[in-house]
Amino acid sequence: MRHLRTFELIEAVAELKSIRKASTMVAMTPSAVQRRIQAFEDEVGTQIFERVSKGVELNAAGELVIDHIKKQKAEIDYLNSGDHR
């Protein structure tokens, strides 16, 4: 569960295609968001965003990460719902 905040940041950046816009949405500085994403990329051993002229876009690895994030969120929601009892 230690990556939940990082997952939220990655989702925000992926949705908005901008670290700056995402940083405003999550009330963090752009450099703090960039550092969190860079630390995640370093940990998994690959970049998940391609830096483009108008911001950022998910690459193939990033698409896999987003799928993983969605699955993790669904599992957490399921656990919190109590439906598994």
Side-chain angles (χ1 to χ4, degrees):
M1 299 306 155
R2 67 184 193 159
H3 287 301
L4 291 180
R5 180 64 171 156
T6 301
F7 286 175
E8 291 172 355
L9 297 175
I10 291 168
E11 279 189 304
V13 172
E15 178 183 325
L16 298 171
K17 299 184 185 303
S18 167
I19 290 172
R20 184 185 52 77
K21 289 177 185 175
S23 69
T24 300
M25 187 175 102
V26 298
M28 291 176 70
T29 64
S31 61
V33 172
Q34 178 63 40
R35 283 192 305 271
R36 287 287 283 270
I37 290 171
Q38 184 66 52
F40 181 83
E41 290 175 330
D42 290 347
E43 189 171 341
V44 298
T46 190
Q47 287 189 343
I48 60 172
F49 288 102
E50 295 296 325
R51 280 61 178 179
V52 295
S53 62
K54 293 185 178 183
V56 295
E57 294 179 358
L58 288 170
N59 61 21
E63 293 291 346
L64 292 172
V65 168
I66 289 294
D67 288 343
H68 174 73
I69 290 170
K70 289 178 182 178
K71 289 175 187 173
Q72 291 295 305
K73 287 175 68 177
E75 289 177 6
I76 290 168
D77 290 346
Y78 175 70
L79 288 173
N80 290 331
S81 73
D83 290 344
H84 57 282
R85 295 181 186 161

